[in-house]
Amino acid sequence: MVKIAPSILSADFGKLGLEVRHLTNAGADWIHVDVMDGHFVNNLTFGPVVVSGIRPYTNLPLDVHLMMTNPGRFIQPFAEAGADYITVHLEIEEDISTVISQIRKEGKKVGLSLRPSTKVSDLLPYLPDIDLVLMMSVEPGFGGQAFQPQAIEKIAALKEWIGQKPVLISVDGGINPVTAPACVLAGADVLVAGSFILKRKPYSLGIQALKECIRGVK
Ligand code: DX5
Ligand code: ZN
C-alpha cells in the first residue's frame, strides 16, 4: 500500500498540534515534517521542540525531513523529540556515513534525500544502510511549487537499483492527482503532499483524492 504523508509545511503554524490531529483523523499514513535551517535552503521552520510539541497529537510515524547543512548535532534532539524517520540530504557538508550511524544509534529509521539536480548514482553506496530515499521533485525550501517531471525517471532508475532491498522510495514536491499516479507507476512507496492536501478542507478530501487516483496503479 502506498502511503500518503501530508507535509505540515502548509499547515496553520498557529495551531500545529490540532492540524496534526486533523490530518491523522483524515486518513494520513505518516506526518511529514519539513525542517529548514535558513542555510541549506532559504527558509526557516521548526526545531526539535516543535516536533516534541506535536508528538502527543498523533500515533502516526513522524517523517522528519532535515533540510540542514549540518544536521549531525541535531540528530539526537530530533530523535528524543519523537521523530520516527530522520532524513538528511546527500548534499550536506558532513560525512554521510557518520550521520547515518548517528540516526541508527538513536534507533530511528534512516532516510537520504536528493535535490532535483543530484544524480541517483551518488546515493548508491549508501543504499544498503538506509530505509528510505526521499526524492525531491521540486527544489527544497518552499511548498506549492510545480512538479519537475525528471523525478519520474530518477524514481524508476532508483527502483531498479533497490531491487529487493527493503528501502522505500518517497517523493516530495508538487504531488497532486495528476503527478501521483506516474510516481507510483515508477516505483514510489510514499507520497509527500503539502499544498494539495492542506489547501482544501476537510483534509480527508485531498487524502482520499490521492488514494483514489493511485488505486489500481499499485
Ligand atoms: C519542500 C518540502 C515539501 C513541501 C511539499 O521543501 O520538502 O515537503 O512541503 O509541498 P507541496 O506538496 O506543496 O509541493
Ligand atoms: Zn519535505
Side-chain angles (χ1 to χ4, degrees):
M1 258 297 254
V2 173
K3 294 184 178 359
I4 306 294
S7 162
I8 56 170
L9 184 61
S10 298
D12 179 346
F13 280 24
K15 46 175 184 171
L16 217 39
L18 293 176
E19 291 277 72
V20 167
R21 179 175 291 157
H22 287 146
L23 288 164
T24 303
N25 293 339
D29 297 301
W30 291 2
I31 301 293
H32 185 83
V33 182
D34 284 309
V35 174
M36 305 186 186
D37 68 349
H39 185 267
F40 186 81
V41 293
N42 191 21
N43 198 359
L44 196 57
T45 57
F46 20 67
V49 289
V50 179
V51 173
S52 63
I54 62 173
R55 183 67 277 186
Y57 288 85
T58 187
N59 289 321
L60 297 177
L62 291 181
D63 174 33
V64 177
H65 175 193
L66 300 183
M67 285 162 271
M68 305 178 72
T69 309
N70 295 100
R73 70 195 168 102
F74 289 101
I75 299 300
Q76 189 180 359
F78 277 111
E80 289 173 355
D84 295 287
Y85 282 79
I86 300 182
T87 294
V88 298
H89 269 262
L90 257 185
E91 305 87 1
I92 59 177
E93 287 177 354
E94 296 178 38
D95 178 58
I96 299 284
S97 297
T98 305
V99 178
I100 290 174
S101 312
Q102 284 179 269
I103 301 172
R104 281 268 175 256
K105 194 170 142 243
E106 297 299 324
K108 304 298 178 182
K109 300 276 192 189
V110 179
L112 278 183
S113 185
L114 299 78
R115 285 180 181 271
S117 55
T118 302
K119 298 191 302 292
V120 171
S121 54
D122 292 353
L123 187 73
L124 302 182
Y126 308 106
L127 273 188
D129 304 320
I130 64 177
D131 302 291
L132 173 122
V133 175
L134 183 64
M135 190 70 82
M136 293 306 303
S137 39
V138 299
E139 206 49 60
F142 296 90
Q145 303 178 70
F147 184 85
Q148 298 188 18
Q150 70 270 27
I152 302 291
E153 290 157 42
K154 290 175 74 180
I155 294 167
L158 177 61
K159 185 76 184 169
E160 290 262 315
W161 284 105
I162 288 176
Q164 295 309 307
K165 289 185 204 58
V167 180
L168 297 174
I169 303 177
S170 180
V171 199
D172 189 359
I175 295 295
N176 58 42
V178 175
T179 56
C183 293
V184 171
L185 197 59
D189 305 289
V190 183
L191 300 172
V192 176
S195 44
F196 180 74
I197 293 173
L198 285 122
K199 294 299 177 218
R200 41 183 66 69
K201 286 188 176 164
Y203 296 149
S204 55
L205 279 181
I207 293 174
Q208 286 313 318
L210 289 176
K211 289 191 173 172
E212 197 65 41
C213 76
I214 56 175
R215 185 168 299 155
V217 180
K218 189 172 166 187

